[in-house]
Amino acid sequence: MNVKQVYAILNDVVAESLGKKNFAVKDTADIVSIGNEVLSSSTSTDKFLGVLVDRIGRTIISNRAYTGNVKALINDAFTFGAILQKIYVAPMDAVENPQWNLTAGVSVDQYVITKPTVNQKLFNKVSTWEIDVTIPDNTLKSAFTGESAMAAFIDGVFTAIRNSMNKQLESMANLAYATAAAMSIVHAKVNNGITAIDLLAPYNTMAGTSITADAAYHSSDFTKFATRYINLVIKRLGEMSAQYNTEGYARFTPADRMRVIFLADFEASVASYLEADTFHDEYLKIPQHDTVVSWQGNANTDSSAIKIHTPNGYTVEQSGIVAMLCDEESIGLTYDEQRIRSTRNEKGEYTNYFYKADMGYFFDPSENCVIFTIGALNTPVAD
């Protein structure tokens, strides 16, 4: 298992999220797995004995039944095993039907072997950290008037630990989303893909205006246009296509398998301008969505911005990200192991508590994922 200590970057991310420091570029190569790991008998082993081979803890057959036109992170992570395996069987090309071209004296070979094209992805990165606290037996008694007052204080300490852990888990999940957004931008700018879409440019072209990104948040006409555009892409994602992921896989994402995430600032504009008029129906067509106050930094700075060094070697600094559409299997957890341990020191008369987390995050670039910005896409910088 590829386990990385992430307490240093995690402390930075939480501090940035809390507004205690300006957020900077984060390298997520050791945090977010993008698959295609190579198994080795010398490295893919347990972390205790170092000889037992890591097992695949879960396998996803990455194909679903397509009928044509006739959400939160994945929560089924595993705790045994070390690797998430995804198997994809590519669509088959049509070939000639010989039934209508039979020729006298020529046989039709029905025993030709045709192998399917199968791709495998392996995700095995795990991030680990812990929170420690010491609770003494007697030395705090002088600060309180009774047992109940002291108990309330200690309960407050453990509440702070739980809150801290939840904030850290939230921050790590946000890094996974920010990594997906950054890699979508890389594909759009480097490979001329359509996995990142600027909503402002086509609106200004259509409307014959030149409104700025700041003004767009307060324009009911722009909000109507943006909502229609997002709904159109939602429909397009439901049809099998190789355009909306960065690896050219033939994918489709029906509305009930799609995660929709809105930036809170954008959602507030949509709700304000659409709920009271006839375009309310456009808003209702959007599948149930989640909201993020900010993608990576603090909401009081630029909540729409990310600064990510991607696992595939690009630095992306982008603001104006207002929405994300992604398949439910594109971003998620591979591994989830949270636990509490404690040890008693009788000589010192105190107890140490250890809140531990081992979490595996992944982004699969072969799954559908599209982000929307209000403003032009910046050019990623390659290593």
Side-chain angles (χ1 to χ4, degrees):
M1 185 185 296
N2 188 350
V3 180
K4 299 291 184 179
Q5 298 283 352
V6 297
Y7 64 92
I9 189 172
L10 183 54
N11 288 338
D12 275 348
V13 171
V14 171
E16 292 165 1
S17 179
L18 293 174
K20 294 182 177 180
K21 60 189 297 186
N22 293 329
F23 80 100
V25 174
K26 293 294 177 291
D27 188 340
T28 58
D30 287 339
I31 297 173
V32 181
S33 177
I34 59 172
N36 294 334
E37 303 290 343
V38 177
L39 298 184
S40 168
S41 60
S42 60
T43 59
S44 299
T45 57
D46 75 282
K47 293 299 181 182
F48 183 62
L49 297 174
V51 295
L52 301 177
V53 65
D54 281 344
R55 300 289 183 172
I56 292 172
R58 179 170 176 242
T59 296
I60 296 175
I61 305 302
S62 190
N63 290 77
R64 57 182 62 138
Y66 181 64
T67 58
N69 290 324
V70 185
K71 271 203 162 280
L73 294 176
I74 293 176
N75 58 10
D76 53 354
F78 53 82
T79 54
F80 282 89
I83 301 163
L84 171 66
Q85 177 188 43
K86 292 186 73 172
I87 296 174
Y88 169 78
V89 182
M92 287 73 167
D93 292 333
V95 297
E96 178 184 355
N97 181 351
Q99 175 183 1
W100 305 102
N101 295 307
L102 299 178
T103 302
V106 178
S107 65
V108 176
D109 188 352
Q110 62 180 349
Y111 297 107
V112 173
I113 296 173
T114 305
K115 294 183 179 180
T117 300
V118 178
N119 294 325
Q120 172 183 261
K121 281 176 171 280
L122 301 174
F123 305 85
N124 74 338
K125 289 180 180 173
V126 172
S127 301
T128 186
W129 70 93
E130 67 179 64
I131 302 174
D132 302 340
V133 69
T134 299
I135 303 295
D137 290 359
N138 300 308
T139 51
L140 284 176
K141 286 183 175 180
S142 63
F144 300 97
T145 57
E147 290 182 359
S148 60
M150 183 171 169
F153 169 76
I154 292 175
D155 182 65
V157 171
F158 285 108
T159 298
I161 293 174
R162 290 189 292 270
N163 289 346
S164 299
M165 180 61 76
N166 287 334
K167 182 62 178 177
Q168 290 160 4
L169 292 170
E170 176 186 75
S171 297
M172 292 293 283
N174 284 348
L175 278 182
Y177 282 111
T179 299
M183 293 186 67
S184 297
I185 292 169
V186 169
H187 182 62
K189 293 294 290 184
V190 176
N191 301 318
N192 295 316
I194 55 173
T195 52
I197 298 170
D198 172 20
L199 294 166
L200 188 58
Y203 171 76
N204 278 331
T205 299
M206 179 208 70
T209 59
S210 56
I211 66 170
T212 64
D214 289 339
Y217 282 98
H218 307 288
S219 167
S220 61
D221 288 338
F222 171 79
T223 302
K224 295 169 185 176
F225 171 86
T227 307
R228 284 198 303 265
Y229 202 120
I230 291 172
N231 269 323
L232 177 60
V233 175
I234 288 173
K235 291 182 175 65
R236 287 174 175 169
L237 287 172
E239 182 174 317
M240 187 176 289
S241 167
Q243 293 185 297
Y244 295 103
N245 63 80
T246 67
E247 296 189 346
Y249 281 46
R251 299 289 199 188
F252 71 99
T253 303
D256 63 343
R257 305 285 298 266
M258 186 180 302
R259 269 192 251 135
V260 181
I261 304 100
F262 279 175
L263 183 69
D265 301 53
F266 180 67
E267 182 195 41
S269 295
V270 170
S272 175
Y273 289 115
L274 298 190
E275 283 187 345
D277 65 18
T278 56
F279 280 86
H280 183 49
D281 289 343
E282 288 292 328
Y283 185 37
L284 293 178
K285 290 177 184 176
I286 296 175
Q288 184 175 2
H289 63 273
D290 294 321
T291 306
V292 294
V293 175
S294 61
W295 297 106
Q296 184 180 345
N298 180 263
N300 293 323
T301 54
D302 186 353
S303 59
S304 69
I306 62 170
K307 295 181 180 181
I308 292 290
H309 184 269
T310 65
N312 61 344
Y314 288 87
T315 297
V316 178
E317 298 190 27
Q318 179 72 48
S319 62
I321 301 171
V322 296
M324 175 184 290
L325 308 178
C326 58
D327 194 281
E328 65 179 9
E329 293 183 0
S330 65
I331 309 167
L333 288 176
T334 61
Y335 193 83
D336 183 352
E337 180 68 50
Q338 300 179 54
R339 59 211 178 275
I340 305 170
R341 300 290 184 265
S342 65
T343 185
R344 173 84 183 150
N345 188 311
E346 293 295 349
K347 185 174 179 63
E349 296 188 66
Y350 62 83
T351 303
N352 280 337
Y353 294 89
F354 315 101
Y355 284 66
K356 297 174 177 283
D358 301 331
M359 308 294 292
Y361 299 89
F362 77 90
F363 168 58
D364 185 353
S366 76
E367 296 285 358
N368 286 339
C369 185
V370 181
I371 69 159
F372 298 89
T373 67
I374 299 179
L377 299 176
N378 295 334
T379 300
V381 178
D383 289 348

